[in-house]
Amino acid sequence: MTKYQAVGIGNAVVDVISQCDDHFLTRMGIDKGVMQLVEQERGEFLFDAMESRRQMPGGSVANTIAGLGAMGLKTGFIGRVQDDELGRFYAAAMAEEGTDFVNAPVPGGEFPTSRSMIFVSPDGERSMNTYLGISAELGPDDVDDAVAGEAELLFLEGYLFDKPKGKEAFHAAARACRAGGGVAGISLSDPFCVDRHRADFRALVKGLDIVLGNEHEWRSLYETEDLGAALEQAAQDSDLIVCTRSGHDVVIVKGADTVTVPVNRVTPLDTTGAGDQFAAGFLYGVVTGKPLDVAGRMGCIAAAEVIGHYGARPEADVLEMFRAEGLV
């Protein structure tokens, strides 16, 4: 019997969210609308500059797995936190949301728990400044083969590719999952991350069953401005690929079949977590055996819910939203 319907592996990051205006971003030297990695000193400086901070457990794939857990799936998350205040908060908060935080907080580690300072401007854009801390040290020793090997679905986070140990952890987890009869997928995470590790990503994609990315990430992966050509190549490399296009139709390709899912545009309050929750909705459809067009619609509904409020995780009952649309 499978222990988990979905397991994620990725950065365990505490999201610290604050509102600001564009003048603040310029004054602080923050690039609007992108994720930047920062060193510990810069992270502490930005943390101190935040007004009316709110904190919640985050990390791209952790958000996706939490979304799947909220939809009722049995979920687990493989991440690494320090045994400090933020680390204990993170582990407890994941458990409270219904997802097993598989690895206990690490005592006496060199690096503190990871945190991302997210500044949300009036137009809903989020500017993320992430100090990776101890989560970047995640390696194959943190992957319990019994957990990955018993998962129906294993979902990996592209951001972890910035460290060799993270790559090793990915490969170990994917091998265990597929050996146990599960399927393994990845979120490409960020076009700059793809730029840094293009050859490794291309090799990994060929060994995975599902790959999710946005149009910028797919173009970067195959080094072309022609999105159609990029997706055609991707379809030869992986069994199931998904391309989101920020308010435009979602493209899903499986073998020779291409499915286009229309998107109902909504005005975002905070775009944090849109891609993460699209992945949650889509993967829920995959795990529960829905047709690809239905799974894509589920992804769009989950993404629309999360951009309607602050934070990267759902506040409404997304499964009930699926029911209201006749999808479950």
Side-chain angles (χ1 to χ4, degrees):
M1 180 178 177
T2 300
K3 185 175 181 181
Y4 293 105
Q5 291 170 286
V7 170
I9 176 171
N11 286 306
V13 183
V14 177
D15 284 342
V16 188
I17 301 176
S18 177
Q19 294 172 258
C20 72
D21 56 23
D22 288 354
H23 175 70
F24 176 89
L25 296 177
T26 301
R27 183 163 54 86
M28 300 299 287
I30 297 171
D31 289 342
K32 183 176 179 177
V34 301
M35 194 286 287
Q36 290 182 297
L37 296 178
V38 299
E39 297 300 322
Q40 186 172 357
E41 184 177 353
R42 170 74 169 165
E44 291 172 350
F45 170 73
L46 292 176
F47 183 86
D48 290 340
M50 303 181 89
E51 296 182 359
S52 302
R53 296 186 296 248
R54 294 191 303 131
Q55 69 182 39
M56 57 195 69
S60 177
V61 163
N63 291 335
T64 296
I65 293 297
L68 286 166
M71 294 172 201
L73 297 191
K74 176 64 175 172
T75 54
F77 180 68
I78 298 170
R80 189 173 176 86
V81 297
Q82 167 66 286
D83 188 12
D84 55 17
E85 183 178 352
L86 283 181
R88 291 187 291 273
F89 161 79
Y90 190 97
M94 288 291 285
E96 287 171 9
E97 292 180 356
T99 292
D100 290 346
F101 189 73
V102 175
N103 299 336
V106 179
E110 180 181 353
F111 301 103
T113 294
S114 311
R115 72 284 314 264
S116 181
M117 281 61 68
I118 303 172
F119 297 91
V120 182
S121 41
D123 59 1
E125 279 290 340
R126 83 273 193 259
S127 306
M128 304 171 68
N129 300 264
T130 304
Y131 167 61
L132 288 178
I134 194 173
S135 70
E137 298 300 303
L138 187 141
D141 291 345
D142 296 301
V143 176
D144 185 340
D145 283 352
V147 174
E150 293 180 352
E152 289 182 34
L153 168 74
L154 179 75
F155 196 51
L156 311 171
E157 181 178 309
Y159 285 129
L160 272 182
F161 254 54
D162 275 313
K163 288 289 184 73
K165 287 197 295 186
K167 295 176 187 177
E168 294 172 22
F170 269 23
H171 289 295
R175 281 195 301 269
C177 175
R178 299 183 89 190
V183 297
I186 191 171
S187 163
L188 294 177
S189 294
D190 182 90
F192 300 109
C193 189
V194 173
D195 285 343
R196 290 191 293 270
H197 308 286
R198 184 174 291 109
D200 286 334
F201 269 118
R202 283 195 186 178
L204 181 67
V205 163
K206 291 180 180 180
L208 295 178
D209 305 290
I210 306 171
V211 185
L212 276 68
N214 63 35
E215 56 187 320
H216 307 295
E217 292 154 4
W218 285 116
R219 288 190 179 108
S220 172
L221 186 63
Y222 293 103
E223 297 181 279
T224 176
E225 287 303 306
D226 185 337
L227 181 61
L231 297 182
E232 184 177 343
Q233 179 62 51
Q236 296 175 28
D237 288 346
S238 186
D239 182 54
L240 175 60
I241 67 162
V242 182
C243 177
T244 57
R245 300 188 298 152
S246 188
H248 299 282
D249 293 353
V250 175
V251 180
I252 305 169
V253 185
K254 183 176 176 63
D257 298 327
T258 299
V259 175
T260 302
V261 180
V263 171
N264 297 324
R265 295 181 69 98
V266 297
T267 301
L269 181 63
D270 172 15
T271 58
T272 308
D276 304 338
Q277 294 311 319
F278 172 86
F282 177 77
L283 294 173
Y284 178 87
V286 170
V287 170
T288 57
K290 301 297 182 185
L292 292 179
D293 61 327
V294 173
R297 181 73 191 121
M298 288 175 163
C300 293
I301 290 170
E305 188 282 334
V306 82
I307 65 175
H309 58 77
Y310 290 107
R313 299 191 178 184
E315 291 182 352
D317 185 336
V318 178
L319 189 58
E320 190 57 43
M321 296 172 74
F322 295 164
R323 289 194 185 98
E325 294 288 328
L327 302 180
V328 295

